[in-house]
Amino acid sequence: MLTTKEIMDTLKMLDEQKLDVRTITMGISLLDCAHSDIKIMCDNIYDKITNYAKNLVKVGEDIEEEYGIKVVNKRIAVTPIALVAAACKADDFTPLAMALDKAAKEVGVNFIGGFSALVQKGYTNADRSLINSIPQALSETELVCSSVNVASTRAGINMDAVKHLGGIIKDLAAKTADKDAIGCAKFVAFSNAVEDNPFMAGAFHGVGEPECTINVGVSGPGVVKSALEKIKGMPFDEVANTIKKTSFKITRMGQLVAVEASKRLNVPFGIVDLSLAPTPEVGDSVAHIFEEMGLESAGAHGTTAALAMLNDAVKKGGIMASSHVGGLSGAFIPVSEDAGMIDAVLRGSLTFDKLEAMTSVCSVGLDMIAIPGDTPKETISAIIADEAAIGMINAKTTAVRIIPVPGKKEGDNVEFGGLLGHAPILGVNKFSSKDFIDRGGRIPAPIHSFKN
Amino acid sequence: MKAIITVIGNDKVGIIAGVSGLMARYNANILDINQTVFGTNFIMAMYVDLTDIIVSYKELKDKLDELGKNMDLNVRIQREEIFNAMNRI
């Protein structure tokens, strides 16, 4: 039998250190729902999702009860809607978002992702319609999440799309101004988006994916921090090893849950995404890991190195523990969803520019950052361009989920509630990027040799 | 199905009797028990085989929750796989 210590260590991880399964996400292909009549397409989509995902929430809850592991979210990711909707002539895709929302509510999931378009090299007519529909679609729905991939290492950056999205994000903020621009928390712009990401707002079911699949996202920044507390002052070799071991344990749990969920739902297991995803709760912060490593506050010089090591060690430990690792896998650094990040911003140690530097080594990008409501749309586009460039050149996923909160200025506070947390408004560079963004066109794909 | 029942709380008379009584009543076979007392803190881990239980897993869990509430202890039951996955290769 297991020793009492092993059992107690596991219980401590689940209780005090907030280890949980962050999400069980069912990916569903909607390609066969396409129809020239948008009303029929909406019905097809609703019927297919409510049929495939009818047991998803129950299975998540059963696993939670039997294994004593919290399964925080049950979610659905669907084929990028621009691909499905290309079959119809409508230019407003809001009804499709509403069909997704209705289906998600019917099956009881927390979010549904995939109101998306992949435009790294250019637009189809449907891509344009979808992007233009985002402000309306996300303000009229509650559970729908949207993403647009604007760049990739192979295609370069679509600067027309980058320019377009600056305006879209501003419109979305204006349309949800009464709720502090919450609509923008449900939208993300990507570079090198992945097809099997179970996390929101960027989850979608890529075209290379099967008919239906189960992807699981685990979390556990509190477990990593707690493991590091036991090796205070030790050299980084020891720190990296400790993170690897911890990540291995966390991922083993994720793999167990993923395989069990896939068996019970009779849907193939896709991947385990071994991300460290913080929440605003005490003991669930990535920023506190940096501080445990010896930085006075997240954002201090050394934070990028700390994050690089953390991200790499999490992957190394996790990859051994799962048969298939995928998604984003690494450390997330959202601001509003991480109590330590919020404190670091408030005490002036974490700035926008430092966050941007950190995204060159983290698993995703600028995430859940509230900025002043009067930020020009070209500045938002330029932020996306910078982030897309980091992703493109480093052959990694980067993303921008940014919230220009109407009526708020630098230093104000904004409250989103729940897992989205609250955030101080971060200042952005005041100088104009307008003429740069107005050029449009495409930034060519980078060379893959001569890397210096 | 095999599971691990853990009990954490202040030591008092009748903890093991309470849990093992429940197991006998619902035909769960106890395979192993470990218990430790640190000061006034009682920690017990019981390994049980639930193959032939005469109630559902959920009912058994509810009964254990009730016992925990009555005795002011943290009592829980979890399938063993979770512990094996995290502690054994």
Side-chain angles (χ1 to χ4, degrees):
Chain A
M1 186 182 158
L2 292 145
T3 65
T4 310
K5 184 182 176 303
E6 287 169 333
I7 292 171
M8 289 304 148
D9 281 350
T10 301
L11 291 185
K12 212 180 256 178
M13 285 185 190
L14 297 171
D15 294 347
E16 292 163 33
Q17 298 155 15
K18 312 266 189 287
L19 174 59
D20 54 42
V21 169
R22 186 52 49 84
T23 179
I24 298 180
T25 303
M26 177 182 271
I28 304 174
S29 168
L30 296 183
L31 287 170
D32 59 350
C33 297
H35 199 280
S36 56
D37 183 335
I38 192 167
K39 284 202 185 89
I40 296 173
M41 185 153 41
C42 286
D43 291 344
N44 290 348
I45 287 174
Y46 178 84
D47 292 345
K48 184 161 187 185
I49 293 171
T50 49
N51 178 27
Y52 277 42
K54 60 178 183 288
N55 293 326
L56 176 60
V57 172
K58 181 170 186 312
V59 163
E61 286 169 355
D62 287 351
I63 288 176
E64 189 167 83
E65 185 161 277
E66 287 174 31
Y67 292 91
I69 313 163
K70 220 161 139 193
V71 179
V72 184
N73 290 291
K74 296 91 189 169
R75 295 165 172 168
I76 296 169
V78 298
T79 309
I81 289 297
L83 298 177
V84 186
C88 76
K89 293 282 168 281
D91 52 11
D92 177 12
F93 292 167
T94 307
L96 296 166
M98 294 175 83
L100 292 174
D101 200 48
K102 198 172 137 203
K105 284 176 179 160
E106 172 62 29
V107 296
V109 292
N110 308 87
F111 279 114
I112 185 163
F115 194 75
S116 306
L118 311 172
V119 298
Q120 58 270 27
K121 208 163 175 191
Y123 283 11
T124 62
N125 294 334
D127 290 333
R128 184 168 290 104
S129 302
L130 182 123
I131 294 174
N132 286 331
S133 305
I134 287 171
Q136 190 71 17
L138 293 196
S139 57
E140 286 194 18
T141 56
E142 283 175 64
L143 307 180
V144 176
C145 291
S146 171
S147 55
V148 175
N149 191 59
V150 296
S152 75
T153 302
R154 290 204 165 271
I157 306 176
N158 179 348
M159 290 299 287
D160 290 325
V162 166
K163 179 181 176 186
H164 193 176
L165 289 181
I168 292 292
I169 290 172
K170 289 284 280 187
D171 288 351
L172 180 52
K175 277 206 155 56
T176 51
D178 57 327
K179 291 182 198 143
D180 284 330
I182 188 84
C184 297
K186 298 184 286 179
F187 173 76
V188 55
F190 272 121
S191 171
N192 291 321
V194 291
E195 299 200 323
D196 52 7
N197 160 29
F199 287 100
M200 295 297 171
F204 63 83
H205 186 72
V207 285
E209 295 287 305
E211 174 71 10
C212 187
T213 183
I214 287 292
N215 298 323
V216 164
V218 293
S219 189
V223 185
V224 173
K225 179 181 181 289
S226 169
L228 295 182
E229 282 169 7
K230 296 184 190 122
I231 54 156
K232 278 193 196 303
M234 303 289 278
F236 281 107
D237 321 58
E238 201 61 37
V239 176
N241 263 338
T242 303
I243 297 170
K244 280 197 289 190
K245 282 184 203 160
T246 311
S247 166
F248 181 84
K249 284 190 171 189
I250 295 173
T251 311
R252 289 271 291 183
M253 183 204 70
Q255 168 83 12
L256 171 74
V257 169
V259 169
E260 193 62 30
S262 110
K263 198 167 76 190
R264 293 183 190 198
L265 289 159
N266 197 23
V267 166
F269 156 59
I271 55 97
V272 173
D273 185 322
L274 38 101
S275 287
L276 293 185
T279 70
E281 274 187 67
V282 179
D284 210 12
S285 158
V286 169
H288 289 158
I289 297 176
F290 305 143
E291 291 162 12
E292 185 55 46
M293 284 188 201
L295 296 166
E296 185 181 359
S297 175
H301 293 297
T303 305
T304 310
L307 178 56
M309 197 211 60
L310 172 66
N311 206 38
D312 183 61
V314 164
K315 287 181 214 274
K316 284 174 179 162
I319 277 169
M320 286 280 292
S322 170
S323 49
H324 299 282
V325 170
L328 300 166
S329 286
F332 291 171
I333 50 165
V335 175
S336 79
E337 298 170 349
D338 184 316
M341 290 286 196
I342 296 167
D343 290 343
V345 170
L346 290 174
R347 64 171 84 97
S349 73
L350 183 61
T351 59
F352 198 97
D353 293 346
K354 186 64 182 176
L355 279 162
E356 184 183 309
M358 288 160 72
T359 64
S360 61
V361 297
C362 78
S363 76
V364 201
L366 294 170
D367 195 14
M368 288 304 288
I369 299 176
I371 58 171
D374 61 1
T375 306
K377 64 182 183 199
E378 292 85 2
T379 300
I380 294 175
S381 292
I383 290 169
I384 296 174
D386 282 343
E387 206 51 36
I390 290 172
M392 172 182 77
I393 296 288
N394 294 306
K396 74 183 282 295
T397 305
T398 49
V400 175
R401 182 160 57 144
I402 204 160
I403 305 139
V405 187
K408 300 266 181 180
K409 302 182 300 296
E410 183 175 349
D412 289 351
N413 190 51
V414 58
E415 184 72 50
F416 300 116
L419 273 184
L420 297 173
H422 70 99
I425 307 278
L426 266 178
V428 296
N429 195 303
K430 300 277 188 299
F431 294 90
S432 173
S433 313
K434 186 172 184 309
D435 292 347
F436 176 80
I437 291 301
D438 281 347
R439 286 175 183 270
R442 285 159 56 198
I443 291 181
I447 196 157
H448 292 289
S449 187
F450 306 105
K451 291 201 168 185
N452 290 306
Chain B
M1 184 207 302
K2 293 189 177 109
I4 294 195
I5 297 169
T6 47
V7 179
I8 307 171
N10 283 327
D11 193 17
K12 62 188 73 169
V13 174
I15 299 178
I16 293 188
V19 178
S20 51
L22 265 183
M23 294 303 111
R25 195 176 318 150
Y26 299 116
N27 206 36
N29 189 20
I30 300 171
L31 302 171
D32 200 354
I33 303 179
N34 272 320
Q35 73 147 78
T36 330
V37 177
F38 287 122
T40 56
N41 262 327
F42 177 89
I43 296 172
M44 184 199 78
M46 185 185 274
Y47 185 39
V48 291
D49 183 348
L50 306 179
T51 313
D52 300 318
I53 50 172
I54 53 171
V55 287
S56 70
Y57 181 93
K58 181 159 187 347
E59 282 169 83
L60 187 66
K61 183 174 181 291
D62 290 345
K63 291 286 171 199
L64 284 164
D65 284 347
E66 200 182 306
L67 178 79
K69 249 180 228 147
N70 292 341
M71 296 190 76
D72 195 24
L73 294 163
N74 182 352
V75 181
R76 67 170 106 182
I77 180 164
Q78 290 162 277
R79 288 178 62 158
E80 65 160 346
E81 291 95 326
I82 174 79
F83 299 98
N84 288 334
M86 292 178 73
N87 294 290
R88 295 279 190 271
I89 298 178

